Amino acid sequence: MTDSPLSRHAGVIVLVVGTYMAATQVALFAVVDVDDPATMLADPVFRVLNLAYAAAFPGLAVALSAAYDRQARQAGSFGLVAFSAAMVGTVTLGADMWFEGFAAPWLAEVVPEVLTAEKTAIWQAGFLSSFALFSIGWLLFGLASLHARVFPRLVSSAILIGAIVGFKAASPPYGVALALALVTLGVWMVRSRTAVQTAAEPITV
């Protein structure tokens, strides 16, 4: 464990981001209407929640950095590769969600036929690659966490499951699995940090 500010506050960061991500996904799931995307994109409640979910991804990048900082030495070179892959995936899917939050409602208003237009190869490549990079990146991070043995195996396994389900994280509620894995990791980090600090306190008589 390093003693950087990021490491010291890692538990709280991961816990807050995971909770926020789960909450926005659940809220979005309540208002999503895939059968009528035009009406859905025009709904102010959906727009706000969609932007709120997009805002989770910068936080997710910070949470990823904090979690990696807590196990960087033990994770070794594979951990660095996994962290880099997860960061690329997070940024890529985050960019997609940012576009969906800001540009998609505008396009639905000014060029409504875009909702029913044929999805060309370049669109499909960008769309699917953002999902794949996100899922693969977090999958590698989960494997690196298992290898490092800093986090409990169940927590690392939860990250793996969240990564697999997270292939569809752009669509609620599929991002909830990874979010809950982060909540669990955050709680463990806070408790383990508290335990270390308690053990390090001098005994006075």
Side-chain angles (χ1 to χ4, degrees):
M1 181 188 301
T2 67
D3 197 37
S4 68
L6 185 62
S7 179
R8 287 198 299 271
H9 300 290
V12 174
I13 292 171
V14 174
L15 176 58
V16 169
V17 171
T19 302
Y20 176 83
M21 185 176 176
T24 53
Q25 272 271 287
V26 171
L28 260 179
F29 183 63
V31 299
V32 162
D33 184 2
V34 294
D35 296 325
D36 191 0
T39 301
M40 180 182 68
L41 288 170
D43 181 5
V45 175
F46 173 81
R47 290 186 177 189
V48 170
L49 292 175
N50 207 29
L51 286 172
Y53 183 55
F57 283 82
L60 188 57
V62 176
L64 171 63
S65 300
Y68 172 68
D69 197 43
R70 285 286 291 268
Q71 63 173 2
R73 180 167 57 84
Q74 295 88 340
S77 299
F78 177 56
L80 177 59
V81 171
F83 164 72
S84 301
M87 183 62 73
V88 169
T90 300
V91 171
T92 304
L93 187 57
D96 180 37
M97 298 313 302
W98 206 251
F99 177 88
E100 293 288 339
F102 284 99
W106 170 71
L107 287 172
E109 287 183 8
V110 300
V111 194
E113 57 268 25
V114 74
L115 297 176
T116 56
E118 180 185 357
K119 304 302 186 289
T120 60
I122 189 170
W123 182 91
Q124 292 181 16
F127 186 71
L128 293 175
S129 64
S130 63
F131 293 177
L133 289 170
F134 181 80
S135 183
I136 292 171
W138 278 93
L139 186 65
L140 289 173
F141 187 75
L143 290 173
S145 298
L146 283 172
H147 172 72
R149 298 182 180 180
V150 173
F151 308 148
R153 290 184 64 85
L154 285 177
V155 174
S156 299
S157 298
I159 294 174
L160 285 172
I161 294 171
I164 295 170
V165 178
F167 179 77
K168 297 184 67 176
S171 303
Y174 295 101
V176 172
L178 180 59
L180 292 180
L182 293 178
V183 170
T184 306
L185 175 59
V187 170
W188 177 84
M189 281 181 167
V190 170
R191 289 180 175 176
S192 64
R193 185 83 191 184
T194 302
V196 169
Q197 290 174 339
T198 302
E201 290 178 357
I203 300 176
T204 57
V205 291

